[in-house]
Structures are given as structure tokens and as C-alpha cells.
Amino acid sequence: MNARPAPTAVIADDERLMREQIAAQLREAWPQLVIVGDAANGREAVALVQSLAPDVVFLDIRMPEMDGIAAAKAIGERAHIVFVTAYDQYAIDAFEQGAVDYLLKPAEPERVARTCERLRERLDGKPRAMDALLAELSERLQAGGGASRGYLRWVQASVAGVIRMIPTSEILFFRAEDKYTRVQTKRFEALIRKPIKELVLELDPAEFWQVHRATLVRVDAVEQVSRNLRGNQVVHLRDTDEKLEVSRSFNHLFKQM
Amino acid sequence: MISNELPTPGSEARGHDARAGGAAPSARPMHSIRHGIVVAAWGFFDWLAVVSWTKLVLVAVLAMVVAGILQHPLPALLLILASVIIKIVAGGKRRAELTAAEATRRADLEQLERTVLEARMQALQAQIEPHFLFNTLASIDQLIQTDPPRASKMQRSLIRYLRSAMPQMRDRARPTLGQQIDLCTAFLDIMAVRMEGRLQSAVAVPEGLKSAAFPSMMLLTLVENAIKHGLEPKAEGGRIDIGAEIVDGQLAVHVHDTGVGFAPMGEGGVGLANVRERLRALYGDRAELVIDLPPTGGTRATITVPYEVSAGRATVQ
């Protein structure tokens, strides 16, 4: 007599055991709910929501290709979203504050039952928009995951025929030499193709100072600054005998010292 | 931070020589003789400042005797007189300077010790990721329902992992490469159940190297990194190979993954910076962490440490 078709759901988690666990718990708590699709990453989840138009989507937060937060952004108001996580404290706090549905892995049956209860009540309404919350969360997920803060942290260079990733924290200075840029560390030197004028823009300005058109030095490797016979400032660095000339336009860096 | 390390041009030579105390860093030959004299003079001055009066008197008497034998007592007498005056006039100041330098050196040492401690604390905090623990427990929970023998196997792997990763456990004895490999194998066994076909791994470490000393938890950090930054972001996953060899008398242990490679803009894992910091604290310049991109693809992280068989008396960590 009820005209409404059976509610449907998609489950997204990169681990099959976890998808099976949630499916099993949902069968217990909400027998009418039909699991119409399984996704192993965020991109698949978005595609399934597009093609199957489920009522509910369960999204793990940490997934390859596209994480759960990004997937939720892409899904928008096309489905009711329930986040699933093993441990993401800041996300959990945000969900609590924003009254967003979430489950903790492994989920307690009572908790699953309560979530299903809430979903049943909301099913006839429109899924809620949570753009602001998601924007904030994806920013924090990036920061928490140690992802890009915008500055160059590694330099790819060829050392003795091997391509090495050199952390910028190990680099004493960069210096333009012919077509290449020389990278000097305490232990070795290497050549890279990236010119100084690009490095200036990509490196953390608090970490490296440009002292010359052709030279970038690591600030905390500077031991002293003296003057050469022509009256130019010369930078002496720790862990290398090389002395680097400061061109006049960068003299202000070492003023009043 | 730099300003107080930058002497005025005039004071440069002095600061340099006084500190060098004999080790002449100058490479210019024309200055080397003058430089030697200056160094010797400052060396003598430093000695005067700190030597006890008794010793000075003793040396003076000895010098007078030698001068007497050589029948030239006057220069020696003048030198002794000058020394006494210098010691009275400038000795106190110089002694204070030397004491200050010593205090600075000690402060540097304390700073280093603090860094070691902090690095260690960070290392402790970085381990046993709660995310890993809860996900693994959730997987075991699911397997108990569907495949109890496998659940039990996975739980035993978790116990093995926790036994070696618990702070009290891992700080007790001197860690060996074998123990660290066991820890990584336990971790990889768990991840293989969770990631299924997305993770393959192999360990190729000669039996003879397993008793070598190797710092705790570092290899696990490399393996965790390989999974987190290399394989997990990749939908199809990949494989991890762990190997060890002796290169030029050093023990080189590598973790090679076939993952997505490296994001130069990314922080690249606080874990790696931590490993580097701890290596520096433990071995100074005698150890290193190298990340390279082999032509066969993926990322390879190699830790090189001095090769010491664990029966030795030196304690690592």
C-alpha cells in the first residue's frame, strides 16, 4: 500500500572487509534498505551516485584517488551522506558540531540503528547542503595529512646517475651555473634544470634568501658575512668552504648586523 | 639569529684565530707564516691565562735554568716578566672569555641532547597510528563473523606488531635489523589482509645481516610511508620490497615501492624528517637517509648506518 520504492544505498570504502561489515550491519538495522553499489574510492562513489541515484551514500573518509570529503563535495545534495571513519578526531568534532551523520569503524549495532532511524526520518526531505563544513574539513584534512603547504620541500636531482629526492632542509645553497642550477648539500653537489628565478618563487622565503641574481642561500646555514677586497659582502656558510658574493641590490638583507 | 654571529670586519681575524687554537683554516700560502705566528701567540696567551701560578713559576725556573746553560739569561728574564704582567693584566679577562666559550660549547651540547630527546619523543608519538589500530580492529571484527581462522591469524599479527612497537618494548634491548624486519613483516601481513590484492610485498635480507644493529622504528616509518604516500593513493595498489646489503662496510637497508612517486611540494611525510633527525642524533655524519627514484619506477628510501654486529658493547639508541 506504500507507494514509495525501497530505499537504496551505495557504500564506499577502499577495504572490502569494511564494505562487507557496513553492509552486514545495515541488513540487520534496516532490512528494507537495498545496497545497490560498492565503491573502492571516492571517484567510483561519485560515478555510482550519478548512475544509480541512491538515497544514501556511506563514505569512508580516507580513500585513494578522491577522499570521502572531496567525494561528498562532488555529490552535493544528490544523496544523503553518512561519513565513516576509524579515527579522524577533527572530522568527528566537525560532524558533531554540524550535526552530520557519521559512523565509527567498527560501529556499534546501536549506533548503526540510530543512524538508520535518523535517515528514515529524513528520506523524504532534501539532503542538506554542507558546503562550508566540507570546505573547512578538506583544508584540515590536507594540513593534517601533511600535504602541500605550497612551498617546495623536495628537489629532484641527478646524483651520480641516480635521480635523488633531496629535502630542501639539507640544501646549503642554489647557484646558477651555465644552463643548470647547482645544488650544494653538506655531502654532495648536484645539478638541476630549474632556474633560480623559478626557485625563488617556489621555495619558502623564510628558508632561503636570494643574495645575488644567481644565488639562493639557506638562511640558517649562514655563519658570517664579511667584505671582500672590492668592498662587496660575502656570505660564509657552515659545512662548506665556498663563499658566496652578495650583490649590491641584496645588501639590505645583512644590514645593521 | 644571525646578527650575533656576524663580527665586524675588523674583529674577524681575531675571533677566527683565537677559536682555531692551532688549526689554521687559511689556504693562502703567503699568509701562512704570519698566520702561524699569530696562532702561536694566541695559543701562548690562552695558556698563560689558564695556567696556575705554581706551574708558571715552575716553567719560569726551568726557562731560567735553560737560559743560564745557554748563557743568555736576559731574554728569558724579559719573557718571564712580560708573562707575569700579561697574566696579571689580561689573564682574568681572557680566562672569562674562555670560560664563556666553554659554556657556549656546553650549551650547544645540551641543545643537541634536547634535540635527541625531542626527536625521540616525536618518534614515540608518531608510532602506532590510531587510524591503523582502529581499522585493523574493525577488520578483525568483520573476519570473526566471516572467517574466524583468518581473524585469529590477523590478530596474532597485530599482537606481534604491538609487541615490538610498544615504547617500553622497543627501548628495552638494543634493536637489531632482524627485530625491525619482524616488526615490518607483522605490519605488512596486516595491511595485506586489509588491502588484499592491492598490496604485495617481499623481504630479501640475508640471514647473516639480521643480527646487525639497526635503530628501532625507522624501517617501519619507511614502510608506512611507502603505503600511505605510495600505494594507498593508487587505486590498483602495488608492491613493496625490503632489502639489505653491505656497501663499503656500511649497512644499507632499503624500502622500494611501486607507488605514485613523490610530490615535491608536499611535506613528504614528517616521518622522513624524523628519521633523518634521529639518524643525525645517533650517528652524526656516519649515517644517512637517501630517497631516490629508480629507473624501474616508484620510490626507494635507503637508510645507511655503520655496520655493527649487535653483540658489541656500544649502545645504539
Side-chain angles (χ1 to χ4, degrees):
Chain A
M1 54 184 177
N2 200 335
R4 202 185 191 291
T8 54
V10 160
I11 298 172
D13 194 309
D14 56 334
E15 294 179 19
R16 182 180 56 88
L17 282 172
M18 293 296 94
R19 296 195 296 269
E20 288 178 3
Q21 183 168 55
I22 292 167
Q25 288 183 313
L26 288 173
R27 272 196 298 276
E28 283 284 310
W30 193 355
Q32 296 79 24
L33 185 73
V34 182
I35 314 289
V36 289
D38 265 0
N41 59 57
R43 212 195 312 269
E44 278 180 34
V46 176
L48 282 181
V49 169
Q50 221 137 24
S51 60
L52 303 173
D55 297 300
V56 188
V57 53
F58 292 84
L59 283 176
D60 182 30
I61 292 185
R62 299 199 188 183
M63 287 188 289
E65 309 277 322
M66 182 191 250
D67 66 43
I69 305 292
K73 262 200 257 183
I75 291 165
E77 295 167 41
R78 277 178 286 173
H80 294 272
I81 289 167
V82 179
F83 288 104
V84 184
T85 178
Y87 182 92
D88 282 290
Q89 201 48 57
Y90 55 89
I92 293 166
D93 291 345
F95 296 156
E96 287 285 349
Q97 275 174 23
V100 173
D101 288 314
Y102 71 95
L103 291 174
L104 281 178
K105 291 189 273 191
E108 296 292 330
E110 301 77 40
R111 173 77 196 218
V112 179
R114 212 166 347 126
T115 302
C116 290
E117 192 65 39
R118 278 165 54 132
L119 283 169
R120 270 195 290 265
E121 284 166 14
R122 287 193 205 163
L123 221 47
D124 291 323
K126 205 171 151 49
R128 46 189 299 228
M130 38 187 174
D131 297 343
L133 183 101
L134 293 176
E136 193 204 316
L137 268 178
S138 61
E139 209 165 275
R140 289 182 65 177
L141 197 70
Q142 297 244 309
S148 170
R149 228 153 290 170
Y151 293 124
L152 195 66
R153 297 292 178 200
W154 296 86
V155 171
Q156 186 174 321
S158 174
V159 183
V162 180
I163 301 170
R164 268 173 80 153
M165 299 301 300
I166 307 167
T168 55
S169 59
E170 300 277 295
I171 295 170
L172 297 171
F173 64 83
F174 295 89
R175 192 169 196 182
E177 282 182 5
D178 299 326
K179 287 182 291 182
Y180 299 95
T181 302
R182 177 153 68 95
V183 174
Q184 183 70 49
T185 75
K186 195 174 166 184
R187 294 167 188 268
F188 59 85
E189 59 173 67
L191 294 177
I192 61 172
R193 284 178 193 281
K194 203 182 273 275
I196 293 287
K197 63 172 189 281
E198 273 179 37
L199 286 165
V200 170
L201 301 176
E202 293 177 13
L203 289 164
D204 184 350
E207 199 181 354
F208 289 93
W209 282 0
Q210 182 167 27
V211 299
H212 189 279
R213 186 172 40 82
T215 320
L216 282 163
V217 298
R218 166 163 212 84
V219 181
D220 60 15
V222 173
E223 194 167 49
Q224 52 171 279
V225 178
S226 61
R227 286 191 186 274
N228 64 12
L229 292 173
R230 280 176 293 152
N232 289 334
Q233 289 177 337
V234 176
V235 173
H236 303 242
L237 296 175
R238 256 188 293 115
D239 302 322
T240 173
D241 290 336
E242 204 145 344
K243 293 168 184 58
L244 304 165
E245 200 171 291
V246 182
S247 61
R248 297 224 180 258
S249 46
F250 295 102
N251 270 355
H252 62 275
L253 290 170
F254 301 104
K255 270 282 164 59
Q256 45 151 253
M257 287 179 173
Chain B
M1 134 189 89
I2 313 164
S3 58
N4 50 14
E5 289 177 37
L6 297 175
T8 57
S11 74
E12 188 195 340
R14 210 209 113 163
H16 212 76
D17 292 336
R19 187 167 41 97
S26 173
R28 295 157 297 183
M30 54 216 175
H31 292 310
S32 66
I33 294 173
R34 197 169 62 97
H35 185 82
I37 292 172
V38 171
V39 169
W42 276 110
F44 180 62
F45 192 76
D46 285 349
W47 177 79
L48 263 185
V50 291
V51 73
S52 69
W53 280 104
T54 345
K55 225 179 208 167
L56 185 62
V57 168
L58 221 72
V59 173
V61 169
L62 215 71
M64 283 305 288
V65 170
V66 172
I69 291 167
L70 294 174
Q71 302 204 322
H72 283 292
L74 196 62
L77 200 66
L78 285 175
L79 189 65
I80 289 165
L81 201 68
S83 299
V84 170
I85 293 171
I86 289 173
K87 187 163 172 62
I88 292 168
V89 173
K93 182 173 177 286
R94 186 71 195 129
R95 206 158 41 233
E97 271 177 33
L98 289 174
T99 315
E102 176 57 29
T104 311
R105 224 181 348 260
R106 213 171 307 138
D108 283 350
L109 201 72
E110 273 167 24
Q111 171 72 39
L112 183 72
E113 275 165 9
R114 217 174 11 253
T115 313
V116 173
L117 201 70
E118 274 163 19
R120 210 156 152 189
M121 288 308 293
Q122 277 175 341
L124 296 186
Q125 283 160 3
Q127 306 312 328
I128 315 186
E129 230 218 302
H131 208 272
F132 165 76
L133 198 56
F134 287 119
N135 258 316
T136 301
L137 288 171
S139 298
I140 292 172
D141 187 51
Q142 174 61 13
L143 284 174
I144 287 171
Q145 317 278 331
T146 58
D147 190 348
R150 258 180 98 208
S152 164
K153 211 175 139 209
M154 191 173 186
Q155 191 172 16
R156 279 201 299 272
S157 297
L158 181 64
I159 291 168
R160 264 195 300 142
Y161 167 86
L162 288 174
R163 274 209 201 291
S164 8
M166 282 287 172
Q168 299 89 326
M169 302 279 185
R170 63 179 198 245
D171 286 347
R172 201 166 48 190
R174 188 167 187 238
T176 63
L177 180 58
Q179 287 164 6
Q180 298 309 307
I181 297 279
D182 288 346
L183 170 62
C184 292
T185 315
F187 178 78
L188 285 167
D189 286 349
I190 291 166
M191 291 312 293
V193 174
R194 286 174 40 190
M195 293 172 71
E196 298 183 309
R198 293 178 61 224
L199 171 64
Q200 285 96 46
S201 67
V203 177
V205 173
E207 208 52 43
L209 292 183
K210 289 191 175 167
S211 57
F214 197 81
S216 68
M217 302 309 273
M218 287 188 186
L219 198 59
L220 182 67
T221 302
L222 299 190
V223 172
E224 283 173 340
N225 249 328
I227 290 186
K228 192 170 168 191
H229 301 293
L231 304 188
E232 266 183 352
K234 214 172 164 180
E236 69 272 29
R239 62 176 286 125
I240 289 180
D241 285 283
I242 302 176
E245 55 185 333
I246 299 293
V247 183
D248 299 332
Q250 297 258 101
L251 174 62
V253 185
H254 73 256
V255 175
H256 182 186
D257 69 70
T258 59
V260 292
F262 234 82
M265 288 294 187
E267 204 58 40
V270 187
L272 292 183
N274 241 330
V275 167
R276 205 166 257 127
E277 209 51 56
R278 284 183 66 213
L279 281 177
R280 203 181 342 251
L282 289 168
Y283 301 102
D285 282 346
R286 295 178 302 138
E288 69 174 329
L289 164 66
V290 169
I291 315 286
D292 68 304
L293 312 178
T296 48
T299 307
R300 180 173 57 194
T302 308
I303 291 177
T304 309
V305 296
Y307 176 48
E308 300 160 3
V309 175
S310 197
R313 64 203 149 76
T315 22
V316 172
Q317 149 121 10

